[in-house]
Amino acid sequence: MSSAKVAKPGKPGGENLVFQRGGFTVRKFWCAFFVFWPIVAIIYSLISSLVPSLGWWFPGPSVTELGQRIDNLFYLILYIVTAVFIGTQIAMGYVLWRASHSKDERAWFSHGSHSLEVIWSVVPSVILLFLALYQMDVWALFRVQAYFPKEARDAPIAEVTARQFEWRIRYPAPGKKLQLKPQPDDLYDVNDLHAPINRAVMIQLRSEDVQHSFFLPHLRVKQDAIPGQIIPIWFKAEKQGIFELTCAELCGWGHYKMRAQLTAEREVEFEAYLKKLQADQNYDGHATPSAVAKKDE
Amino acid sequence: MSAAGVAQEHGHADEHAQGAHGHHEQSFIQKYVFSTDHKMIGKQFLFTTLLMLMLGGALALGVRWQLAFPWTSMPIFGPLFANAGGQISPEFYTMLFTMHATVMIFLVIIPVLAGAFGNFLIPLMIGADDMAFPVLNMLSYWFMIPAIFCFGMSFYFGGAASGWTSYAVLADLRAAAPGSGSAQTMWLMGVTFVGVSSMMGSVNYMTTIINMRAPGMTLFRMPLTIWAMLITAILQAFALPVLTAAGFMQLFDRLAFGGWLEGIHTVFFIPAGLVVNNTDPTVGGGQPLLWQHLFWFYSHPAVYIMLLPAMGMTSDMLACMCRKPIFGYKPMVYSMSAIAGLGFIVWGHHMFTSGMNPALGMTFMVSTVMIALPSAVKVFNWIGTIWGGRLQFNTVTLHCVGFVSMFIVGGLSGIFMAAVPVDIYIHDTYIIVAHFHYVVFGTTMFGVFGAIQFWFPKMFGRKMNETVGKWHFLLTYIGFNGAFFPMHMLGIAGFPRRYADPYVHPYLEHLLPLNQFITISAMIMGFAQFLLLGNFLISIFRGEKTGRNPWNANGLEWAAPSPPGHGNFDVPPVCFRGPYEYSNPNRADQDFWMQTDPTRPPKNPPEDPAHGHS
Ligand code: HEM
Ligand SMILES: [Cu+2]
Ligand SMILES: [Cu+2]
């Protein structure tokens, strides 16, 4: 006799809700349902990561070495997390199946297990602590100024000022160093940051109005621009190209359209670009720009 | 005397209870409007939050529409809300996601857990006749009304539009954005009122749980729901004052007097020399990061305020549906306490890229990964609870299993974010959106949906329809995963949050079809909520009648009549054992053993769950 039959309090409404166990098919269906969705999730994730042409994964491999190290950390966590996900979902499917199909009259009367609790507290905490400590040096390299490459620290190439809704860029005149205060011979551009490749470069990030965030997805660089603060960031692009620069911190209605770009180019091209900026800036409307450039040299 | 006998006796007392308590000379207003009865207040909270859930959902669908079909007129709501041509303008879009989050967090999740279930369940589960301070309790509901009014006024002024995080300086300077004028002021007042309401609630909950437990209800005989409510109330009491203070600071920063008082305001968060939209440069000396610290000092604990009660309720429901004691009762209590404690020292993980001292990033990373530990322990214990149980798939079970399954996803994605270097890339992308929807919607809301089904018989003396309930679960679950799982991929692809039109950026153009899929899933999920609402409302009047203890559960609340009259219990309850004595072999005749049941086992003394393991 099942325990179910005994315990009917005989209330108005009679039928007790607990013992509607559902038919065999119903139980099978729900077990399958709860196992099915993690399988879909895994397949979907596999497809996303293995078929880059779909564009459901990183926007290409990182253009910087530091970015690749960030990606590697991401993958390390991904592997651990996937194992835990699969493990817990299998455990879940298994206990669900067993519990819903058990022929026993009664559930297993157990208040838990001390040793299991110890195991499943200690093992994850070791893994988690390892994960945290393992990340430290990448973070230090990215953000702690003392760990920046010396060539970057010594000579910031530009100051980037975010404002609603554009990026203003200020370079020192060729051969000069970037000063905190704008200089008369500084060079300006908007929404197009140029930087030489294969050299660690530092940028001074500022905001003129509200908060913004300097986001270079292809370089895995992100740093908020905080009004009233100057924040140094560095990167070393290893590939030539034009990479999107976007804003990643809500800064008002036009947040989405703070579209700009990073032009990563060879050192000579970068120098030529600065020269051209200088020439354009010195152009007085009479001489031809190229003549001005000549005069400057 | 067997429990069946007790129940039988109660059966007769039922009508008595109704007769004696139901017909106090209470006017309609006293009974249904300005009620001081915790059950009525809980129901008021429940109705209000369900209504707000639908509103918040509509706002979300507006956001989703724009992301899937940018700049096209939205059906139904388009002509209603948006400006010319039914298009969602960028200003309007910013407002939509701000108000969506605001409504969902401050008017749905927080009040449905503490307000609705906290109110309804605490006195019943600990065997009290009401809350310690009934009038304060009533006020805590009525302070929600000015809050809703203020948010409504915020809409009227165009809607606050600086995100639910209301970051300074965007939210601080009136000229900074269209939504930063009076709409933002009303928003801040609304949040303050919600805070006052929550504070009244938490003082009440702490006092009630500590002082008003029935004889025999020791701390370690309390159901996990009560533990969760207690811990939540403590969290609330310590964290909320900081948000309230920060809110007032922002309000003072925003003062805009005219005449001879012009220019009088504080500059807590405003640095000097900012020029927004061609206004005069600000005079200042304030620090925008201060706002972020204060805000997250509250709002990280708040995310647990949005979760712990659901964890407690799910534990109780799951044990009952598995006919099995909760696995590791004390570890469950300790892990909730650990989550609450650690919850106070992890706020900086929302600020890894903010520009705060990088050394802080490292410490916050360590504390944040450590908070994943108690979360993991809880998951293992839930799975352990199902292990060896006698399970049946009713709507409540489905929601509980959904809860655990979704929490696994949300907890695991948290680890990516906790790792500072990885967070550099994924911060403020859609992977964050995926993460918190898995925890706040996937976890908490499934817990709440389950809890509605589970305690409905106690609230209204009737049960909700199972078939509709299962359809609601099925559609919500499929819609939910369809909507939020792909968001992880969006995040990895670098898709930023809060963009009115992400497709102006070439590297995001190809993500439009995926977003359309997400939006369609979200619509399925949204429309499924009408099933819940309909089932809920119709069952109040038409649902099958149930007795005191339709689930054969153990808690004290099931010893009271359904619905309980004024004063709750017809027989003052005494607690004899812990709440999870399901399938105890000492009880041969039934597989549950109510906490109020005085029966002793034939020979052995009843086993105390507090000492049953460990
Ligand atoms: C396993 C434990 C968890 C960890 C390690 C974790 C970690 C994090 C981190 C690091 C962030 C910030 C990400 C960023 O903005 O870059 C975050 C965001 C968030 N988390 Fe969690 N989390 C956990 C569990 C939860 C839970 C249980 C909830 C709620 C019930 C929650 C709700 C949120 C919310 C709402 C946000 C986003 C806030 C916003 O920016 O609007 N998290 N989480
Ligand atoms: Cu922005
Ligand atoms: Cu947090």
Side-chain angles (χ1 to χ4, degrees):
Chain A
M1 182 186 64
S2 98
S3 57
K5 300 232 171 68
V6 187
K8 272 204 186 147
K11 296 270 112 196
E15 234 342 66
N16 237 322
L17 300 178
V18 220
F19 299 110
Q20 300 163 354
R21 237 185 142 189
F24 195 63
T25 2
V26 175
R27 284 182 263 158
K28 245 206 247 173
F29 169 78
W30 286 116
C31 287
F33 180 77
F34 282 113
V35 174
F36 179 67
W37 94 260
I39 295 177
V40 174
I42 296 268
I43 293 177
Y44 172 64
S45 311
L46 276 177
I47 293 176
S48 306
S49 54
L50 297 178
V51 189
S53 60
L54 285 168
W56 294 345
W57 208 243
F58 288 103
S62 171
V63 176
T64 65
E65 197 218 314
L66 190 60
Q68 281 154 17
R69 293 185 65 185
I70 290 179
D71 289 1
N72 291 342
L73 291 174
F74 173 90
Y75 282 110
L76 172 69
I77 299 176
L78 184 66
Y79 297 143
I80 295 176
V81 155
T82 309
V84 176
F85 179 73
I86 294 178
T88 42
Q89 298 290 351
I90 288 179
M92 182 82 147
Y94 171 76
V95 295
L96 276 180
W97 179 267
R98 283 288 305 272
S100 57
H101 288 76
S102 95
K103 300 239 165 50
D104 302 344
E105 254 176 46
R106 285 194 170 219
W108 171 39
F109 183 69
S110 154
H111 282 289
S113 144
H114 185 64
S115 36
L116 273 179
E117 300 287 348
V118 172
I119 293 171
W120 66 43
S121 309
V122 172
V123 174
S125 65
V126 171
I127 297 176
L128 287 167
L129 263 182
F130 161 75
L131 273 182
L133 299 177
Y134 192 68
Q135 320 261 337
M136 294 281 187
D137 57 335
V138 176
W139 172 245
L141 212 53
F142 176 78
R143 188 66 181 81
V144 182
Q145 225 171 326
Y147 289 83
F148 286 12
K150 194 166 170 330
E151 54 172 347
R153 231 182 321 152
D154 287 349
I157 60 155
E159 177 191 79
V160 175
T161 305
R163 68 197 290 269
Q164 289 173 329
F165 297 99
E166 64 187 15
W167 305 90
R168 295 207 167 164
I169 297 141
R170 176 168 72 93
Y171 304 95
K176 295 209 177 156
K177 282 201 158 185
L178 185 73
Q179 303 296 319
L180 207 59
K181 289 247 162 59
Q183 302 296 310
D185 58 353
D186 279 344
L187 307 172
Y188 293 89
D189 202 346
V190 177
N191 289 341
D192 186 12
L193 172 65
H194 284 246
I197 54 167
N198 294 328
R199 170 152 75 98
V201 295
M202 193 163 103
I203 308 283
Q204 300 284 15
L205 185 63
R206 301 182 41 194
S207 166
E208 191 178 298
D209 41 37
V210 302
Q211 71 280 355
H212 301 270
S213 188
F214 178 89
F215 182 27
L216 291 166
H218 303 87
L219 282 77
R220 319 290 191 255
V221 168
K222 188 179 287 135
Q223 175 58 56
D224 291 8
I226 296 285
Q229 217 167 309
I230 299 176
I231 301 172
I233 32 178
W234 76 275
F235 53 83
K236 181 177 174 184
E238 283 169 352
K239 215 177 104 195
Q240 250 175 295
I242 294 182
F243 305 105
E244 272 107 340
L245 163 60
T246 64
C247 178
E249 185 66 69
L250 180 63
C251 55
W253 65 270
H255 171 48
Y256 71 101
K257 59 173 195 170
M258 278 182 73
R259 182 182 157 192
Q261 64 187 37
L262 166 73
T263 309
E265 55 200 1
R266 275 174 290 145
E267 198 80 41
V268 277
E269 288 166 334
F270 178 62
E271 272 157 28
Y273 165 75
L274 289 182
K275 287 267 161 55
K276 181 170 177 305
L277 269 188
Q278 196 177 34
D280 288 353
Q281 219 154 283
N282 292 347
Y283 177 50
D284 58 6
H286 296 295
T288 57
S290 51
V292 176
K294 281 222 179 70
K295 198 177 73 196
D296 264 15
E297 272 166 26
Chain B
M1 182 175 55
S2 77
V6 175
Q8 210 66 49
E9 207 174 60
H10 285 183
H12 294 301
D14 245 2
E15 295 86 61
H16 263 296
Q18 304 294 359
H21 299 291
H23 298 282
H24 271 313
E25 293 309 312
Q26 271 187 327
S27 66
F28 179 84
I29 301 256
Q30 271 178 325
K31 193 163 174 210
Y32 293 107
V33 185
F34 294 108
S35 171
T36 53
D37 181 345
H38 72 99
K39 299 181 293 295
M40 184 49 70
I41 298 172
K43 286 179 202 171
Q44 287 171 331
F45 266 112
L46 188 57
F47 278 103
T48 314
T49 49
L50 282 180
L51 210 67
M52 290 299 146
L53 177 70
M54 302 310 275
L55 172 65
L59 293 168
L61 288 183
V63 172
R64 280 315 318 171
W65 184 268
Q66 169 69 8
L67 288 175
F69 312 103
W71 316 123
T72 60
S73 174
M74 185 181 172
I76 311 172
F77 296 111
L80 255 172
F81 286 159
N83 52 3
Q87 260 190 20
I88 295 175
S89 66
E91 294 88 335
F92 192 74
Y93 177 84
T94 341
M95 184 284 265
L96 277 178
F97 67 70
T98 301
M99 295 311 276
H100 158 68
T102 304
V103 169
M104 288 302 197
I105 290 169
F106 294 111
L107 301 181
V108 179
I109 304 266
I110 293 181
V112 81
L113 292 174
F117 285 102
N119 253 310
F120 188 82
L121 293 178
I122 290 174
L124 281 170
M125 287 182 123
I126 64 171
D129 54 355
D130 205 322
M131 286 285 181
F133 311 115
V135 176
L136 194 65
N137 203 19
M138 175 186 83
L139 286 177
S140 91
Y141 175 72
W142 285 101
F143 264 83
M144 289 301 287
I145 303 302
I148 295 172
F149 174 77
C150 286
F151 290 135
M153 286 304 283
S154 179
F155 267 115
Y156 173 76
F157 289 124
S162 37
W164 80 281
T165 49
S166 187
Y167 272 13
V169 180
L170 181 63
D172 234 38
L173 298 173
R174 289 171 168 265
S180 296
S182 306
Q184 182 65 25
T185 308
M186 294 319 288
W187 186 91
L188 283 164
M189 310 252 289
V191 172
T192 308
F193 278 117
V194 174
V196 173
S197 156
S198 299
M199 195 52 130
M200 289 174 168
S202 55
V203 169
N204 221 340
Y205 300 164
M206 286 190 278
T207 318
T208 308
I209 294 175
I210 290 170
N211 280 341
M212 296 182 62
R213 296 188 311 269
M217 178 63 84
T218 58
L219 283 180
F220 282 113
R221 280 181 183 170
M222 296 198 310
L224 287 171
T225 303
I226 299 300
W227 269 111
M229 293 289 176
L230 177 61
I231 293 168
T232 305
I234 296 172
L235 267 180
Q236 198 70 281
F238 282 101
L240 242 174
V242 177
L243 180 75
T244 312
F248 275 111
M249 287 159 84
Q250 198 172 87
L251 276 172
F252 290 143
D253 270 10
R254 299 169 42 77
L255 290 179
F257 294 117
W260 59 278
L261 279 176
E262 197 179 334
I264 300 275
H265 62 82
T266 57
V267 289
F268 290 113
F269 310 123
I270 311 173
L274 303 183
V275 179
V276 295
N277 281 314
N278 303 320
T279 53
D280 293 340
T282 54
V283 271
Q287 236 305 354
L289 277 186
L290 176 62
W291 168 264
Q292 298 188 21
H293 281 293
L294 294 175
F295 180 83
W296 289 117
F297 184 85
Y298 165 75
S299 289
H300 184 84
V303 304
Y304 290 104
I305 291 167
M306 295 182 238
L307 181 67
L308 288 175
M311 286 178 154
M313 295 192 295
T314 304
S315 306
D316 283 353
M317 293 187 275
L318 205 55
C320 175
M321 293 309 153
C322 295
R323 317 306 298 159
K324 197 173 159 262
I326 195 84
F327 201 89
Y329 171 82
K330 275 194 176 169
M332 285 298 223
V333 174
Y334 298 147
S335 56
M336 278 199 281
S337 317
I339 287 177
L342 284 170
F344 276 108
I345 53 166
V346 298
W347 80 89
H349 64 216
H350 298 274
M351 299 171 59
F352 285 150
T353 66
S354 71
M356 67 179 176
N357 185 332
L360 286 176
M362 301 194 182
T363 46
F364 281 121
M365 166 165 61
V366 175
S367 55
T368 302
V369 295
M370 287 329 285
I371 211 170
L373 178 65
S375 311
V377 168
K378 296 196 76 78
V379 167
F380 297 143
N381 278 308
W382 284 315
I383 295 178
T385 303
I386 304 175
W387 182 24
R390 260 188 103 246
L391 188 72
Q392 35 120 31
F393 284 113
N394 57 29
T395 316
V396 179
T397 317
L398 294 177
H399 282 102
C400 292
V401 177
F403 172 102
V404 180
S405 204
M406 299 294 94
F407 185 57
I408 293 173
V409 181
L412 290 178
S413 63
I415 297 175
F416 290 93
M417 286 144 221
V420 231
V422 179
D423 189 61
I424 295 168
Y425 177 65
I426 61 180
H427 171 67
D428 263 330
T429 67
Y430 255 75
I431 201 168
I432 310 297
V433 180
H435 162 71
F436 66 71
H437 282 93
Y438 264 92
V439 275
V440 180
F441 192 115
T443 313
T444 301
M445 282 317 280
F446 279 120
V448 166
F449 293 152
I452 291 178
Q453 295 261 352
F454 187 69
W455 278 289
F456 192 89
K458 192 50 63 185
M459 291 184 184
F460 301 102
R462 294 169 188 270
K463 70 174 183 179
M464 281 170 78
N465 184 300
E466 269 293 305
T467 316
V468 180
K470 285 196 173 113
W471 275 106
H472 167 247
F473 170 78
L474 194 72
L475 291 175
T476 310
Y477 200 77
I478 293 173
F480 174 83
N481 282 296
F484 292 104
F485 199 81
M487 285 189 189
H488 294 109
M489 307 311 163
L490 288 182
I492 297 171
F495 196 89
R497 291 167 79 174
R498 297 169 168 172
Y499 269 23
D501 184 1
Y503 313 106
V504 301
H505 301 274
Y507 80 107
L508 301 172
E509 267 171 352
H510 65 283
L511 292 169
L512 184 65
L514 190 57
N515 271 294
Q516 288 169 339
F517 174 79
I518 290 176
T519 298
I520 291 165
S521 306
M523 286 174 176
I524 295 176
M525 181 172 78
F527 288 111
Q529 303 321 309
F530 285 104
L531 292 179
L532 173 79
L533 206 66
N535 192 359
F536 181 81
L537 293 177
I538 294 173
S539 299
I540 292 177
F541 304 103
R542 293 282 168 80
E544 198 182 311
K545 285 215 166 95
T546 56
R548 282 173 191 250
N549 190 2
W551 305 106
N552 287 356
N554 286 342
L556 253 51
E557 76 271 32
W558 304 107
S562 293
H566 206 76
N568 293 346
F569 294 92
D570 35 13
V571 183
V574 177
C575 174
F576 292 94
R577 62 188 58 77
Y580 300 114
E581 294 303 290
Y582 293 104
S583 303
N584 188 324
N586 286 333
R587 225 22 233 268
D589 55 339
Q590 57 179 37
D591 70 349
F592 65 109
W593 204 347
M594 291 187 72
Q595 289 185 279
T596 49
D597 182 348
T599 327
R600 304 229 152 219
K603 282 176 200 130
N604 328 18
E607 207 172 325
D608 187 342
H611 302 292
H613 67 281
S614 77

